[in-house]
Amino acid sequence: MCSSWVVVLFCCLGQLCADQSLKPQIAAPEFAMNNPTLTTVALEKPFCVFDSSLHPNKSYLIYLYAMQESASAMSSLVADGSSRPLDSTFQQTNGGQLGPYKAAAFHVPSCASPPRLVDAGDVSKVSDVLKQYLFRVGDDGTCLYDPNFLDVCNPPLAPDTTYRFKYVLIDSTEGIVKDQTLWSDPIKTRRVKLPSQVDTWPGRRSGAMIVITSILSVLLFLLLAGILAAVSLAVMRPEGPSAETRCSPQTTQPSDPRPQLGSE
Amino acid sequence: MCGIALTAECIYFVSDPHGLYPLLEATENNDIYAAAWIGIFVGFALFALSILGIIGIIKSDRTLLLVYIILMLITFAFEMASCITAATHRDFFTPNLFLKQMLEKYQKTEPANDNDKWMIEGVTKTWNKLMLQNHCCGVLGPSDWQEYTSAFRDTHNDADYPWPRQCCAMNAQGIPINLDGCKLGVPGYYNSNGCYDAISGPVNTHAWGVAWFGFAILCWTFCVLLGTMFYWSGIEY
């Protein structure tokens, strides 16, 4: 009871009413499948988040701040004492390691007519749907090295690092912070493995290969045995006719004395 | 007849209708092609020897038939080697083998030597053609490019090229339909399935075709040779 009154008091005093329940969300996974990648994160734009703080006759901008999670211990403030937004860049904060940096500035997305994700199937509408629905942190690979670049630079993030994001509502005429979301949940960029870690060992031999090898080896062996048998039979057989000529004199001899016995 | 059929089949495989030979050459494991080449010559030899055998049986000539049997045994041994080679080396073609080769060689800009340069060109051209024709990306999926660092990643930063442009759905002119959709992975604007099926299908057909067809021919040749040997040993001088 007491603590909630204290929070409301601080909120009203500082005019920095942080929305208790809304944080930047990552873009819908079924819509943008490649997210987060090695160096980019696609976030949903803040639809209907700041509507309670908007006045109809004033113009507003939304700033997106990004920082590495390790920096939250050092400094996570996006505004100075007089509610002016921090103008830090990627280079100044060492890629978000020293504190939050401004990654983007865009108009407040329309709450009344949000983009329909089903329209993404239509080739002519998909660019608009993507532009209105999400913002890709880390999209611009060249702005860091272009000396003529004057806009807000959104360079690629570091791989395998946890980042946190925050949307801030700015009144463009006065240039002061009107509202901000909480810091998002930690979002980690991908981590890569080396191709040398890919294991190319084929595993055990397939059954078919074993069958082919074994049966063919047996067949070849049988053929060789067969040819040897046939050749050895052929070599032994020439002795056959000489054995018959030896037998024949024996068969004729006993037949000779018999006619003599018969005649006596 | 079998000989001619074998020759025809092996010529078909050697002509590489699917254009996958550079991938196999880069794995330095193209022995299934060697098996197919041997198959061509064995097939032709079988055909020639069968004519010799028929003449020998008609004339009942022992010497001719002995020559026939010995030459057929040599041919049998060669064909056996071809079958076993095709069957054994087919086992090496796992998805990981092609994945590693793709990551290390695709669009690599600094070849180590001329042989490496030749292999890199072959791999790059083959993969580009594969991805465009079969509407696929990577070996198991586009996530291959995200999970592993690669030679491609060295020259193309992740923000602009999470995967090669050939993985994007293309229109008739060969230009990606929507580049942002492709980079973000919006369904319909990039190829989400892997190319492994398109590679392993033809390679398996090739290896199994050479191996099993050769095996069948050899079984038949075995019977023929046994019969010839019996006939030979039965011929009187």
Side-chain angles (χ1 to χ4, degrees), chain B residues 66-128:
Chain B
L66 189 62
V67 165
Y68 167 77
I69 289 175
I70 290 177
L71 286 180
M72 279 292 276
L73 274 180
I74 295 174
T75 313
F76 188 97
F78 270 105
E79 179 59 19
M80 187 171 121
S82 159
C83 287
I84 294 178
T85 307
T88 314
H89 284 276
R90 137 85 204 76
D91 286 344
F92 281 104
F93 296 136
T94 52
N96 277 356
L97 180 72
F98 292 112
L99 176 66
K100 189 164 182 182
Q101 179 201 77
M102 177 184 84
L103 292 172
E104 285 177 353
K105 295 213 158 63
Y106 180 76
Q107 293 205 21
K108 183 172 169 190
T109 43
E110 281 154 44
N113 50 38
D114 274 343
N115 190 32
D116 200 25
K117 184 158 172 267
W118 174 254
M119 288 202 278
I120 289 170
E121 275 170 31
V123 169
T124 305
K125 268 208 292 214
T126 308
W127 270 105
N128 285 343

Side-chain angles (χ1 to χ4, degrees), chain B:
Chain B
M1 290 283 101
C2 285
I4 297 180
L6 184 64
T7 305
E9 193 207 15
C10 288
I11 287 180
Y12 171 71
F13 283 131
V14 168
S15 67
D16 190 24
H18 295 272
L20 292 175
Y21 182 68
L23 288 186
L24 297 179
E25 195 186 18
T27 64
E28 291 175 358
N29 191 1
N30 54 352
D31 284 335
I32 59 173
Y33 273 90
W37 276 107
I38 293 179
I40 291 179
F41 293 115
V42 164
F44 189 68
L46 280 179
F47 176 66
L49 283 178
S50 64
I51 296 178
L52 180 73
I54 291 173
I55 295 175
I57 287 185
I58 291 175
K59 285 194 184 167
S60 283
D61 185 352
R62 277 190 88 113
T63 334
L64 209 56
L65 277 183
L66 189 62
V67 165
Y68 167 77
I69 289 175
I70 290 177
L71 286 180
M72 279 292 276
L73 274 180
I74 295 174
T75 313
F76 188 97
F78 270 105
E79 179 59 19
M80 187 171 121
S82 159
C83 287
I84 294 178
T85 307
T88 314
H89 284 276
R90 137 85 204 76
D91 286 344
F92 281 104
F93 296 136
T94 52
N96 277 356
L97 180 72
F98 292 112
L99 176 66
K100 189 164 182 182
Q101 179 201 77
M102 177 184 84
L103 292 172
E104 285 177 353
K105 295 213 158 63
Y106 180 76
Q107 293 205 21
K108 183 172 169 190
T109 43
E110 281 154 44
N113 50 38
D114 274 343
N115 190 32
D116 200 25
K117 184 158 172 267
W118 174 254
M119 288 202 278
I120 289 170
E121 275 170 31
V123 169
T124 305
K125 268 208 292 214
T126 308
W127 270 105
N128 285 343
K129 192 168 66 86
L130 259 181
M131 292 200 279
L132 286 174
Q133 277 180 355
N134 299 89
H135 303 292
C136 58
C137 187
V139 174
L140 301 165
S143 53
D144 290 342
W145 297 105
Q146 286 285 306
E147 275 176 44
Y148 292 94
T149 179
S150 54
F152 175 75
R153 181 64 60 228
D154 288 339
T155 43
H156 297 81
N157 68 343
D158 171 70
D160 284 328
Y161 293 90
W163 35 63
R165 286 283 182 263
Q166 285 82 0
C167 287
C168 298
M170 301 278 191
N171 61 10
Q173 283 81 32
I175 303 173
I177 297 179
N178 188 287
L179 209 51
D180 287 323
C182 179
K183 288 192 225 173
L184 281 166
V186 180
Y189 293 94
Y190 74 115
N191 302 325
S192 52
N193 43 317
C195 295
Y196 182 63
D197 288 332
I199 297 174
S200 69
V203 165
N204 275 351
T205 319
H206 173 128
W208 292 137
V210 171
W212 285 113
F213 190 62
F215 180 73
I217 285 182
L218 286 183
C219 287
W220 170 245
T221 312
F222 174 74
C223 301
V224 165
L225 277 181
L226 269 186
T228 315
M229 278 187 225
F230 276 122
Y231 182 75
W232 180 81
S233 49
I235 297 181
E236 300 290 340
Y237 266 115

Side-chain angles (χ1 to χ4, degrees), chain A residues 110-133:
Chain A
S110 161
C111 183
S113 56
R116 293 173 23 187
L117 294 185
V118 292
D119 281 344
D122 186 346
V123 174
S124 54
K125 295 185 191 164
V126 65
S127 297
D128 289 328
V129 168
L130 285 175
K131 219 166 158 217
Q132 289 165 19
Y133 172 63

Side-chain angles (χ1 to χ4, degrees), chain A residues 75-257:
Chain A
S75 119
S76 61
L77 292 173
V78 296
D80 54 18
S82 55
S83 296
R84 290 204 170 271
L86 217 57
D87 207 15
S88 49
T89 65
F90 183 86
Q91 295 98 315
Q92 286 168 358
T93 58
N94 212 0
Q97 281 175 352
L98 306 172
Y101 70 94
K102 189 161 64 167
F106 46 83
H107 293 289
V108 182
S110 161
C111 183
S113 56
R116 293 173 23 187
L117 294 185
V118 292
D119 281 344
D122 186 346
V123 174
S124 54
K125 295 185 191 164
V126 65
S127 297
D128 289 328
V129 168
L130 285 175
K131 219 166 158 217
Q132 289 165 19
Y133 172 63
L134 52 76
F135 178 78
R136 198 169 179 233
V137 186
D139 205 18
D140 193 346
T142 53
C143 65
L144 264 187
Y145 310 109
D146 183 359
N148 294 327
F149 191 83
L150 296 171
D151 212 346
V152 179
C153 190
N154 179 20
L157 307 171
D160 198 22
T161 318
T162 323
Y163 285 87
R164 304 187 78 158
F165 305 94
K166 182 192 266 260
Y167 285 118
V168 178
L169 183 70
I170 309 285
D171 185 328
S172 11
T173 39
E174 295 169 34
I176 56 171
V177 174
K178 284 292 180 198
D179 201 356
Q180 54 181 282
T181 63
L182 292 174
W183 285 104
S184 70
D185 291 330
I187 298 175
K188 193 165 189 191
T189 47
R190 274 204 196 230
R191 180 190 166 164
V192 275
K193 298 182 261 193
L194 289 174
S196 50
Q197 289 176 341
V198 176
D199 180 19
T200 53
W201 175 244
R204 39 184 290 276
R205 295 270 172 243
S206 66
M209 173 253 164
I210 294 178
V211 162
I212 289 180
T213 311
S214 50
I215 292 184
L216 284 183
S217 312
V218 165
L219 290 185
L220 186 65
F221 172 73
L222 287 176
L223 278 181
L224 285 174
I227 189 80
L228 277 177
V231 168
S232 57
L233 268 178
V235 166
M236 283 197 304
R237 225 192 282 153
E239 302 167 357
S242 58
E244 284 170 20
T245 52
R246 269 187 279 122
C247 281
S248 46
Q250 286 177 0
T251 49
T252 50
Q253 271 178 13
S255 62
D256 271 297

